[in-house]
Amino acid sequence: MLTSYSTILVLFIIIALGYILAKRGIFTNDVSSALSFFVINFALPLEIFLRIMRDFNKQKLENLFKESFFPILIICFILIIGYVSSSLFKVAKEQKGAFTLCFASPSAAFIGMPIILGLYGDKGLPYALLVYVVTSLSTWTIGITLLNRDSELNTHTHTPFDLSRTIKELLSPPIAAFIVASLLVVLNIPLPFFVKSLFGYIGNTTSALAMLFIGTTIFRTGIKNLTFSKEVLGILFGRFFITPLIVLLFAHLFHISNIMGAVCLLQFSIPVSNTVAILAGEKHVDVGFTDSSLTYSLLAYLFIFPILMKLVTVFF
């Protein structure tokens, strides 16, 4: 437990460093954008690619895909419960989509993967990536549809579904890296040493740069501008209470492997995805509670994490 908490504490210290550097004007908006771009388009994909190639074979990949139904089932139930909860928490009808998406969308790439890598290393990465693929799929299909509905209610205009952008996001560099690496593993095509070394150097920057970006995001949101509303309470309730219960229940019902259960519990029960806040802004949805939910969920996670690790220890 102490080792696990030390891992998350280190990540939060790096987040704090990102916040301080942004506050001092060293990490400007341009730097923050560059960090995000580099992590999503280079560091994380190469980290995923290298680890899949290095630590997996055809049999391990087959075993992974056999359990792929589990995160799909989880995200479907969380989305349903999130939408129902929007009525229970009396969320305005033009914010129900954003509320549901915050309720159900974990920051699987920027926060989830660095945490899983720190706790489980190569063993946990493929399962974390599977959760990332599933949550990305839900965000860019169901999530976009819900946000478009919010936008239409806010602006009284029709927002068409952008199929080309959806396909582009679903084939994002991390997911593409996973697909290509899996194909090379199945075809038994090795990587040259030079390529392994290059990918290793770049991929090893993933966790630190992702945490620095989160720190700059918190600063730009502005702690003084945060409001703790009933919507924020509902989202925290979903992220840190409902979601773990769903994972534990389904893991017991379907006799999921310990590593899949542990990774799903930790990966689904992390802070709100920053993608939701970005999309809410693009769709002209009120981003007040989405930004507040993102930041409050980050702050709360430092205290929730030991409880989650205790659940992992007891059940997995």
Side-chain angles (χ1 to χ4, degrees), residues 7-281:
T7 299
I8 192 69
L9 187 60
V10 166
L11 295 177
F12 269 79
I13 289 174
I14 300 176
I15 289 174
L17 177 61
Y19 180 92
I20 292 170
L21 292 174
K23 186 176 182 180
R24 293 188 175 182
I26 298 173
F27 277 6
T28 61
N29 288 341
D30 288 340
V31 172
S32 178
S33 298
L35 287 174
S36 173
F37 180 85
F38 185 81
V39 169
I40 288 297
N41 292 282
F42 292 97
L44 182 58
L46 295 184
E47 175 87 351
I48 290 168
F49 187 91
L50 183 60
R51 288 177 182 266
I52 293 294
M53 290 291 296
R54 186 180 64 194
D55 301 302
F56 268 72
N57 54 36
K58 186 176 180 180
Q59 184 60 48
K60 288 182 178 180
L61 283 175
E62 289 177 355
N63 293 336
L64 174 66
F65 288 119
K66 285 179 181 177
E67 292 186 310
S68 61
F69 76 93
F70 186 62
I72 295 174
L73 187 65
I74 291 172
I75 195 66
C76 288
F77 267 79
I78 297 174
L79 282 167
I80 293 170
I81 294 175
Y83 193 79
V84 173
S85 297
S86 67
S87 296
L88 296 177
F89 283 92
K90 299 181 180 179
V91 178
K93 62 180 181 178
E94 66 273 12
Q95 295 179 336
K96 284 192 173 184
F99 177 91
T100 303
L101 201 51
C102 285
F103 192 100
S105 297
S107 185
F110 274 104
I111 300 179
M113 285 200 189
I115 288 174
I116 297 302
L117 284 171
L119 295 176
Y120 298 105
D122 302 332
K123 183 180 179 182
L125 177 65
Y127 300 94
L129 184 58
L130 191 59
V131 173
Y132 168 61
V133 171
V134 169
T135 55
S136 293
L137 181 64
S138 68
T139 297
W140 289 100
T141 52
I142 299 172
I144 284 292
T145 302
L146 291 171
L147 287 177
N148 281 343
R149 183 176 179 276
D150 286 357
S151 179
E152 290 170 2
L153 291 171
N154 271 314
T155 62
H156 304 289
T157 57
H158 176 64
T159 306
F161 183 78
D162 191 341
L163 180 61
S164 61
R165 185 184 182 190
T166 298
I167 294 174
K168 179 182 177 181
E169 294 296 339
L170 291 178
L171 292 176
S172 63
I175 296 177
F178 176 68
I179 294 172
V180 174
S182 298
L183 288 174
L184 292 180
V185 168
V186 171
L187 297 173
N188 197 28
I189 300 176
L191 285 179
F193 174 78
F194 168 77
V195 175
K196 289 182 180 179
S197 180
L198 174 64
F199 285 11
Y201 276 114
I202 298 175
N204 286 338
T205 65
T206 300
S207 296
L209 294 183
M211 295 304 102
L212 288 172
F213 170 75
I214 293 296
T216 64
T217 300
I218 293 175
F219 173 76
R220 290 203 314 274
T221 301
I223 293 180
K224 292 182 179 179
N225 298 326
L226 299 178
T227 55
F228 193 84
S229 61
K230 64 181 187 299
E231 291 88 357
V232 173
L233 177 62
I235 289 166
L236 295 180
F237 179 72
R239 294 252 40 81
F240 301 133
F241 182 75
I242 296 297
T243 297
L245 285 181
I246 291 175
V247 175
L248 291 174
L249 175 61
F250 286 158
H252 175 72
L253 289 176
F254 294 101
H255 306 288
I256 294 300
S257 64
N258 286 338
I259 183 63
M260 173 63 94
V263 169
C264 281
L265 178 62
L266 294 173
Q267 187 87 326
F268 275 108
S269 306
I270 55 177
V272 175
S273 171
N274 60 301
T275 301
V276 177
I278 294 171
L279 289 175

